[in-house]
Amino acid sequence: MSSVKKFKEFFGLAPYEEGPHDAAYYRDDADYGDPAPEDDYAPAARTAGRGYGYGSARPSYEPQSYAPTIVPVRLVSFKQCTRVGEPFRAGDAVVIDLNAMDRDEARRVIDFAAGLVFALRGEMRKLSPLTFALIPDDVEVSIAELEDAAGLR
């Protein structure tokens, strides 16, 4: 069959001619709703080498108790923001001291921290003009503990 004829058939510009190669495509297949016969080796072969078989073989994971801590961080540049983000993502409260930074970079860090707190549904508290506390969701920390960690008391 020529490529022009195939093109016409594909776009419906010419009648479609069935050939011998189409018989396999339109053949009736077995119903997928019928259960396959079980062999003696089939269940073991289905799950062998894979850790995601059906049944009670899945391990159960229980949440571990995690006691959050307060991590004081003194930043000098915006490039050190990972020192704020990693402990906060892990569930620790973070106290950020921005006194050693340039005003513009400190503003960038505050914007970064605000986005981090918003994304992870935490809370941000201002302890002093350039000291902030990031508190994760479901963590109970008093202001006095945060001020002690920041060295304000």
Side-chain angles (χ1 to χ4, degrees):
M1 181 184 304
S2 71
S3 60
V4 174
K5 189 172 182 180
K6 286 181 184 178
F7 179 81
K8 286 180 180 180
E9 287 179 359
F10 180 78
F11 286 105
L13 302 174
Y16 182 71
E17 294 180 15
E18 292 186 23
H21 58 279
D22 294 331
Y25 182 76
Y26 293 109
R27 173 179 56 215
D28 289 335
D29 291 324
D31 185 18
Y32 291 111
D34 295 337
E38 288 289 329
D39 294 331
D40 292 336
Y41 63 89
R46 234 188 335 250
T47 59
R50 293 184 274 173
Y52 55 89
Y54 298 103
S56 63
R58 295 177 69 182
S60 63
Y61 296 103
E62 294 186 22
Q64 297 180 2
S65 63
Y66 177 75
T69 60
I70 300 173
V71 179
V73 176
R74 183 176 176 91
L75 298 180
V76 192
S77 74
F78 181 74
K79 293 179 182 179
Q80 297 175 325
C81 278
T82 56
R83 294 177 48 199
V84 174
E86 289 173 354
F88 187 75
R89 277 192 316 196
D92 293 328
V94 180
V95 176
I96 308 169
D97 184 7
L98 303 174
N99 288 314
M101 291 186 73
D102 179 39
R103 197 86 159 151
D104 293 332
E105 281 195 343
R107 187 170 290 130
R108 287 180 65 195
V109 171
I110 292 169
D111 289 342
F112 169 78
L116 184 67
V117 166
F118 177 76
L120 297 176
R121 296 189 173 114
E123 182 182 351
M124 188 170 183
R125 297 258 175 113
K126 187 174 186 177
L127 303 177
S128 75
L130 289 174
T131 306
F132 296 87
L134 309 178
I135 305 166
D137 193 26
D138 299 331
V139 173
E140 299 293 327
V141 181
S142 69
I143 298 295
E145 291 174 326
L146 295 171
E147 288 175 347
D148 285 342
L152 298 175
R153 295 183 109 202

